[in-house]
Amino acid sequence: AKAIAFAADKPLVGVHHIEGHISANFIENKDLEPPFICLVVSGGHSHLVVVKDYGEYEIIGRTRDDAAGEAFDKVSKEGNPDAIVFPRAKVDGSTYDFSFSGLKSAVLNYLNSCEMKGIAVNQADVAASFQKAVIDVLVGHSMEAVSQYHLNKFAIAGGVASNTSLRAAFEKACRDKGLEFYHPSPVYCTDNAAMI
């Protein structure tokens, strides 16, 4: 992009990747206007953002280790989500930050323990229970932020925002709290030119 801009004597306008994901919501949701809370969840990022105005953001929570999408990438997603109870991590000193490395370790410890004891593992149940633990944390932090900041609009963005279980959990949580819920179509959740 820099070379093309230089060769064509055109300005180059940088757009932050996370801002692009948040902006993907504006493509199809013409009624969405700031302020609102947006959870950006992707392979590399888990950010909880107060969108104060167009182009004005405050990151109130972020991953401290592994992003939700990176954690999802390590574990498949089918089976009984209530089969195994995995931990829901809280980060000391930060209400809205995320930590998923301990959850990944808990899954590994569970699998190793089953192997050592000769217990058969239902991989689909492990995956679904893992997914539920991640979603519970994402939804819990997000709904707490919406309440704390007294906003009535919530959006999700990023590659993981196309996950049907995550969408369903947020639809229910927002409906229960009387919030307007926004999300891009799955085609706009992954990295794409339209969001920029």
Side-chain angles (χ1 to χ4, degrees):
K2 286 180 181 178
I4 292 170
F6 179 77
D9 194 29
K10 300 288 182 191
L12 178 66
V13 178
V15 178
H16 195 283
H17 186 79
I18 300 300
E19 183 175 8
H21 277 305
I22 293 168
S23 297
N25 276 286
F26 298 129
I27 296 170
E28 299 168 305
N29 300 303
K30 304 299 183 193
D31 60 326
L32 176 60
E33 294 181 356
F36 61 92
I37 301 273
C38 186
L39 174 69
V40 182
V41 278
S42 65
H45 305 281
S46 295
H47 281 67
L48 198 51
V49 180
V50 178
V51 180
K52 296 179 173 187
D53 204 345
Y54 298 104
E56 187 181 342
Y57 310 95
E58 178 186 355
I59 297 172
I60 59 172
R62 66 182 73 214
T63 189
R64 292 289 186 100
D65 41 49
D66 298 328
E70 194 277 333
F72 271 173
D73 288 346
K74 298 289 187 277
V75 185
S76 154
K77 309 170 207 57
E78 357 180 293
N80 176 2
D82 298 311
I84 306 145
V85 178
F86 288 121
R88 274 73 167 161
K90 291 272 189 188
V91 178
D92 286 341
S94 182
T95 305
Y96 305 122
D97 281 353
F98 304 100
S99 175
F100 296 110
S101 63
L103 175 57
K104 286 188 347 188
S105 295
V107 172
L108 184 59
N109 290 340
Y110 174 82
L111 295 173
N112 288 337
S113 174
C114 288
E115 183 179 348
M116 287 173 49
K117 295 174 184 174
I119 299 170
V121 172
N122 182 324
Q123 292 180 349
D125 285 353
V126 171
S129 297
F130 167 84
Q131 177 177 257
K132 183 176 186 218
V134 172
I135 290 172
D136 285 353
V137 170
L138 294 173
V139 171
H141 284 27
S142 298
M143 293 301 102
E144 193 170 333
V146 170
S147 295
Q148 178 71 32
Y149 283 82
H150 306 290
L151 296 172
N152 64 353
K153 293 179 274 192
F154 177 78
I156 56 174
V160 179
S162 63
N163 178 287
T164 54
S165 296
L166 181 71
R167 283 178 185 250
F170 272 117
E171 284 172 1
K172 180 184 183 317
C174 288
R175 186 174 52 249
D176 290 350
K177 283 187 161 289
L179 305 172
E180 296 177 53
F181 175 55
Y182 298 90
H183 54 81
S185 292
V187 70
Y188 296 123
C189 288
T190 57
D191 294 346
N192 62 86
M195 72 185 196
I196 301 302

